[in-house]
Structure formats: structure tokens, C-alpha cells
Amino acid sequence: MTTATTLGPVMEREALEALFEGAHTTSRFLDEPVDPQVVEDAYNDLRWAPTAMNAQSLRLTLLRDGETRDAVVEHLLGANRENTAAAPLTLVAAYDPAWHEHAQTLIPHREGMREKLEENPSMRETMGRPSAYLQIGYLILALRAHGLAVGPMTGLDPAGVDSVVHQSTGWETLAMINVGHGPDPEHENALRPRAGRLTFSNASQVL
């Protein structure tokens, strides 16, 4: 008879609550600045999570209050405009179609892979874009783990955002994430009412 083992210590329930059920998408934050170093610390954690063939294709642009963010806000939809304009810090999360340029660092054991991917844009896209979305999920959890509240959004015009912040990089906007040090208790729309979630039995099958 074998006994199941784990790869490391199991997180305390309190820590899991802080990442999942106890956390809540935030629309309006406390009026406190966010140090970009916290975002860097979160990235340095999330980069170890798995992606397709270690395609580290997520790219981030950090926007504080100013002309550039004002220009980006013009390409958001609905309430996302007002919420972003008021956020302490905004992250533009993007996909880098040229992620394969780092293949020697990311997949050094696959000799010639950079050249193979260079010749096959479809293969790059198939591995890279889903990996960037995966990394956005990891980023949200990493930011929460570092004590920040987050407000992810996809209600935007990606090409419009790209025209403001990605002209020199070729990155492609996937989502935006507002971050802060918790919801503003004085703002009635800081947190929306909690919506339901599917149970495991609703969302799975065992074969």
C-alpha cells in the first residue's frame, strides 16, 4: 500500500483564503500609492509557474497617474475608464509575439528552437499566447500574495491600448489590472456583491 505525498508543505487555510475565496475583485482602492517594487516581487514569484515549453510570453507595462495612462483610459469601456483613472497603479498585461528571442535562456536544452520558432509564427502563437494568459492568472494570485488588491479587466480596445504603449515593442494587449492596497471603504462601488461559483461536481467529470 502506498501513501500519497506532497512536494512541499501544504498552505494554511488562512493563506488559501487570502488568495481565493477571501479575496475580491476591487474597483476602487484606498488612496495610497503602490510601489512598483511590489509588482516586481510578484513577477519574480510567478515566473516559476509552468507555461507551454517555458514560454515566458507575458509582458507588463506599469502606468501611474499621468498623460500616458490618461491616453490609455480613452481606449477602455464603460466604468473601466473611471476606475482606472482613479487607481493607484495600472498594469497593462500583454503578449509578446517575439518571446522566442529568449529561447536560449528559456529552453537551452532544445537546440535550434529559436530558429525553428522564428520560421513558424503559428507555432509561436499556439504556445505563447495561451501561456501569457496563464501567466496573467499567476500574476493575479502573486499580487494578492504580496498584499495587494486587484481589479482585472478585459473591457477595452486592445489595438487602441497598443497604439499608446506598445508602438516600440510590438507587444499585444490582453488585459489590464488595476492594483492597490485594498478597497476604499468610502466608495459604494469599491466591491461588487459576491457572485456565485460552480461546484466541483458542476465543473468536472471523473472517468
Side-chain angles (χ1 to χ4, degrees), residues 108-126:
H109 57 288
R110 299 291 295 271
E111 187 174 347
M113 184 54 71
R114 192 200 71 78
E115 291 75 17
K116 182 177 181 179
L117 290 168
E118 176 67 29
E119 297 169 357
N120 194 333
S122 177
M123 184 179 182
R124 291 204 312 268
E125 178 88 2
T126 298

Side-chain angles (χ1 to χ4, degrees), residues 27-163:
S27 296
R28 287 300 186 97
F29 302 88
L30 295 169
D31 186 19
E32 298 178 12
V34 173
D35 186 345
Q37 182 62 51
V38 181
V39 179
E40 181 176 346
D41 292 343
Y43 180 84
N44 284 335
D45 287 328
L46 78 89
R47 65 190 177 133
W48 299 107
T51 56
M53 205 168 69
N54 201 29
Q56 301 281 292
S57 50
L58 175 66
R59 302 292 181 264
L60 300 175
T61 301
L62 281 63
L63 300 174
R64 289 179 281 202
D65 187 24
E67 292 183 2
T68 301
R69 190 168 72 171
D70 290 345
V72 166
V73 165
E74 294 302 311
H75 299 286
L76 306 184
L77 305 180
N80 290 343
R81 290 188 172 194
E82 184 178 354
N83 293 338
T84 299
L89 185 67
T90 299
L91 314 181
V92 181
Y95 162 64
D96 183 4
W99 66 268
H100 67 294
E101 294 293 342
H102 301 278
Q104 185 57 41
T105 298
L106 301 174
I107 42 177
H109 57 288
R110 299 291 295 271
E111 187 174 347
M113 184 54 71
R114 192 200 71 78
E115 291 75 17
K116 182 177 181 179
L117 290 168
E118 176 67 29
E119 297 169 357
N120 194 333
S122 177
M123 184 179 182
R124 291 204 312 268
E125 178 88 2
T126 298
M127 289 191 295
R129 189 174 291 272
S131 292
Y133 277 115
L134 268 177
Q135 288 190 292
I136 290 174
Y138 299 144
L139 174 62
I140 291 170
L141 294 178
L143 291 168
R144 287 175 172 176
H146 283 269
L148 294 176
V150 301
M153 66 188 80
T154 54
L156 51 86
D157 171 18
V161 177
D162 290 343
S163 71

Side-chain angles (χ1 to χ4, degrees), residues 21 195-206:
E21 188 175 357
R197 297 293 191 273
L198 297 181
T199 65
F200 183 73
S201 62
N202 294 142
S204 66
Q205 62 176 348
V206 180

